Amino acid sequence: MQNEDPLMYEVTKIRAPLVMDADWNKAPWASMESLSLDHHMGEKPTHFPKVEAKVAYDNSAIYVIFRVRDQYIRAVRSEHQEGVYNDSCVPLQSWQYPAAIYARCLL
């Protein structure tokens, strides 16, 4: 079911934990609608790849899968807490408020 507000995305509840393997086309990801990350902070960057995401949750976790279509990807960081912001990345920030979780994705 698609939300009429382009800034809202309905997160799908799933019944069981997911195996984290980044397979966009397997269940349950394949049946979910994706959201497109079209917004940016400040002036639009000259390099702005197409980014989509899908979000799901169960009783113990929130799951996010991203798909980035780009000719150039930089991924050189490999250690925990390294400066991944210097690589090609999609940061995810979340805040928990009573009865809701708000998340913001920045490209």
Side-chain angles (χ1 to χ4, degrees):
M1 178 169 102
Q2 183 153 356
N3 193 314
E4 305 235 350
D5 183 343
L7 298 179
M8 298 291 290
Y9 177 78
E10 189 170 330
V11 177
T12 303
K13 183 168 186 181
I14 56 176
R15 295 183 179 162
L18 290 176
V19 173
M20 303 303 292
D21 62 5
D23 188 347
W24 183 271
N25 297 310
K26 77 171 190 180
W29 300 119
S31 63
M32 291 181 204
E33 289 196 41
S34 64
L35 62 97
S36 181
L37 301 181
D38 301 319
H39 303 288
H40 52 85
M41 295 180 65
E43 292 185 36
K44 185 173 182 176
T46 55
H47 182 74
F48 199 77
K50 179 174 176 51
V51 178
E52 297 174 276
K54 295 180 180 184
V55 185
Y57 72 99
D58 62 21
N59 289 335
S60 61
I62 297 172
Y63 305 92
V64 182
I65 188 169
F66 291 96
R67 179 164 62 181
V68 179
R69 295 172 191 249
D70 195 359
Q71 183 177 0
Y72 305 104
I73 300 290
R74 176 182 164 90
V76 297
R77 308 296 183 245
S78 62
E79 298 298 321
H80 184 65
Q81 297 295 333
E82 264 190 306
V84 295
Y85 54 85
N86 289 317
D87 285 349
S88 301
C89 69
V90 181
L92 174 67
Q93 301 171 338
S94 65
W95 302 268
Q96 185 169 353
Y97 293 98
I101 295 177
Y102 297 88
R104 176 175 71 176
C105 296
L106 304 173
L107 177 63

